[in-house]
Amino acid sequence: RMLSGYKPKNDVKDSYKILELEEGCSPDDVRNSYHNLAKKYHPDSSSGMADSKAFIKVEEAYRVVLSDLGAKQKSGPGEEEEEEEQFKSKSLQHRHYLSFEGVGIGTPSQREKQYMQFRVDRATEQVLQYRQHRLESRYAGSDLSMAKDVRQSKKVKITQAVERLVEDLIQESMAKGDFDNLSGKGKPLQKFSDSPHIDPMTHNLNRILIDNGYQPEWILLQKEIRETIERLRKSVVASRRKLGEPMTLPEQKQWGRVCEQFAEDIRKLNKRVDDFNLVVPILSRQMVHFSTDKEILRARKTYEAVLEKVSDSDTKENEGEKGKRFGWRSSLLKWLKL
């Protein structure tokens, strides 16, 4: 530093005071004083007065005092070069200890490895703190979600407790011999089918699923499609019956809107038919699309059949009333003749 134009912050008088020396002392006195102060303030020393800032000030003061002594000794060129070489040989080699933030002990390479591990640990701790803060901010104010999670965990615990209780009761009954009087004890399970091409395990599993109410997806879809088309047919017939016969102009517009809505419902139902055809395992069970025109024509025919039944019932009622009237008149005439 001295040869490269390094300018210390301390002046000569302050440097002598820091080293606890007076001007005119010898270089050996300067070195001895520096060594004593370094043992006192060096960060790696075991002294209770260790302070890195104070040590830096002592080091700068040491260099300033050596420079002042070298300037006062008006030595020749050879002696000056010898003094510079002496300064180089006496220059401190432990400045790099302060570059590791005072972390680690041992040789410089060992301290460097320890400092790198310290930086890794510190970065890991910072990442964990960041994640913790992010989770806290995310779930801040979410008491409802936390309560829901608590209820779900309690539900799972209760379910597991019930399962364990049932298992304990079964094991206790087996130990008491409650299952010894069963007819099939010690015998293999009977096959549900005599066909050699059916896997018994698969058949038994399917039987268990069926007994517990399980139904495949395509069966549920088929049932849903049938129920939907029946409901649509009944609704369009009911709408037609409300309009009456013959329809007026406003009623015809209303019937047109009913037909448009019916066509939209049929289009959605045909999408469900496509989904059914994709999952049905049997090719012969696939369904065709429903036609809007055919369904409307069917609804009209159903409406006409309902009208015919209503008209027939009305005609029979009228004929019955007429018969009652004529019978009353004939009985009256017979009584008058008598």
Side-chain angles (χ1 to χ4, degrees):
R1 293 181 182 178
M2 183 172 61
L3 298 177
S4 61
Y6 172 74
K7 295 181 179 181
K9 297 180 181 179
N10 301 327
D11 55 5
V12 178
K13 293 182 180 181
D14 293 336
S15 299
Y16 277 101
K17 291 181 180 180
I18 292 173
L19 294 177
E20 301 176 356
L21 297 172
E22 297 180 355
E23 295 184 6
C25 60
S26 64
D28 293 332
D29 295 336
V30 174
R31 296 189 187 95
N32 293 332
S33 177
Y34 171 73
H35 290 160
N36 294 330
L37 294 175
K39 292 179 181 178
K40 184 187 297 183
Y41 297 115
H42 196 279
D44 293 337
S45 65
S46 59
S47 174
M49 302 178 62
D51 188 0
S52 59
K53 294 182 180 180
F55 176 74
I56 292 174
K57 291 181 180 180
V58 170
E59 184 185 9
E60 291 181 352
Y62 172 67
R63 293 184 179 278
V64 171
V65 171
L66 287 181
S67 300
D68 182 67
L69 292 177
K72 289 181 178 180
Q73 294 176 0
K74 299 179 179 179
S75 57
E79 294 180 358
E80 184 176 357
E81 291 177 1
E82 183 179 359
E83 187 68 20
E84 290 179 358
E85 292 295 330
Q86 184 180 3
F87 289 157
K88 290 182 181 178
S89 62
K90 297 295 182 179
S91 62
L92 300 177
Q93 302 296 326
H94 48 264
R95 283 286 300 170
H96 56 275
Y97 282 96
L98 301 178
S99 61
F100 299 130
E101 302 181 13
V103 176
I105 58 174
T107 62
S109 60
Q110 293 175 351
R111 290 173 61 88
E112 184 178 3
K113 292 180 181 179
Q114 296 171 12
Y115 178 64
M116 294 300 294
Q117 184 63 36
F118 167 75
R119 291 184 61 186
V120 171
D121 297 339
R122 183 171 59 185
T124 304
E125 184 178 359
Q126 292 176 356
V127 169
L128 293 176
Q129 291 179 357
Y130 169 74
R131 291 181 178 177
Q132 181 180 0
H133 292 318
R134 186 175 63 178
L135 291 175
E136 290 178 355
S137 61
R138 179 184 300 177
Y139 292 103
S142 60
D143 296 336
L144 295 177
S145 62
M146 293 177 65
K148 183 178 180 181
D149 295 339
V150 170
R151 289 195 299 268
Q152 186 67 22
S153 62
K154 289 183 178 178
K155 184 178 179 181
V156 171
K157 290 180 180 179
I158 292 172
T159 304
Q160 294 177 353
V162 171
E163 291 178 354
R164 289 196 298 269
L165 177 61
V166 172
E167 184 65 25
D168 293 341
L169 292 175
I170 292 174
Q171 295 295 333
E172 184 179 356
S173 299
M174 292 176 63
K176 291 180 180 179
D178 295 340
F179 298 151
D180 294 341
N181 57 351
L182 298 178
S183 60
K185 180 186 176 182
K187 298 180 181 179
L189 292 175
Q190 296 180 357
K191 296 183 179 180
F192 298 102
S193 177
D194 296 332
S195 176
H197 304 288
I198 299 178
D199 182 21
M201 181 61 69
T202 304
H203 191 83
N204 294 339
L205 291 175
N206 292 335
R207 178 66 178 274
I208 293 172
L209 291 174
I210 292 172
D211 293 342
N212 287 274
Y214 171 78
Q215 292 181 353
E217 182 182 2
W218 64 275
I219 292 180
L220 297 177
L221 276 175
Q222 187 179 28
K223 183 179 180 181
E224 179 186 354
I225 291 170
R226 289 177 178 175
E227 292 177 352
T228 304
I229 191 61
E230 290 297 330
R231 178 176 53 82
L232 293 176
R233 287 170 179 172
K234 291 180 180 180
S235 64
V236 72
V237 172
S239 300
R240 181 64 185 86
R241 291 184 63 182
K242 290 179 181 179
L243 297 177
E245 186 68 28
M247 290 187 297
T248 61
L249 184 60
E251 291 176 346
Q252 290 179 359
K253 292 182 180 179
Q254 186 177 356
W255 173 248
R257 290 193 294 269
V258 171
C259 292
E260 291 178 358
Q261 183 62 37
F262 182 74
E264 180 65 20
D265 295 336
I266 290 295
R267 185 182 63 82
K268 294 179 181 179
L269 183 60
N270 287 333
K271 289 185 178 180
R272 301 296 293 168
V273 172
D274 293 336
D275 297 337
F276 169 77
N277 292 335
L278 290 174
V279 297
V280 63
I282 304 174
L283 186 62
S284 60
R285 292 294 185 90
Q286 290 190 347
M287 303 174 66
V288 296
H289 284 185
F290 296 96
S291 175
T292 305
D293 297 334
K294 291 183 179 180
E295 293 297 332
I296 293 176
L297 181 60
R298 178 175 180 174
R300 288 178 179 176
K301 291 181 179 180
T302 305
Y303 171 69
E304 293 175 357
V306 171
L307 286 180
E308 290 179 358
K309 290 181 180 179
V310 173
S311 61
D312 292 341
S313 61
D314 293 340
T315 302
K316 291 180 180 179
E317 289 179 359
N318 293 330
E319 289 178 354
E321 290 179 357
K322 289 180 180 180
K324 291 180 181 179
R325 290 175 184 176
F326 290 138
W328 177 77
R329 289 178 182 180
S330 60
S331 62
L332 181 59
L333 290 173
K334 289 181 181 179
W335 180 76
L336 289 174
K337 288 178 180 181
L338 292 175

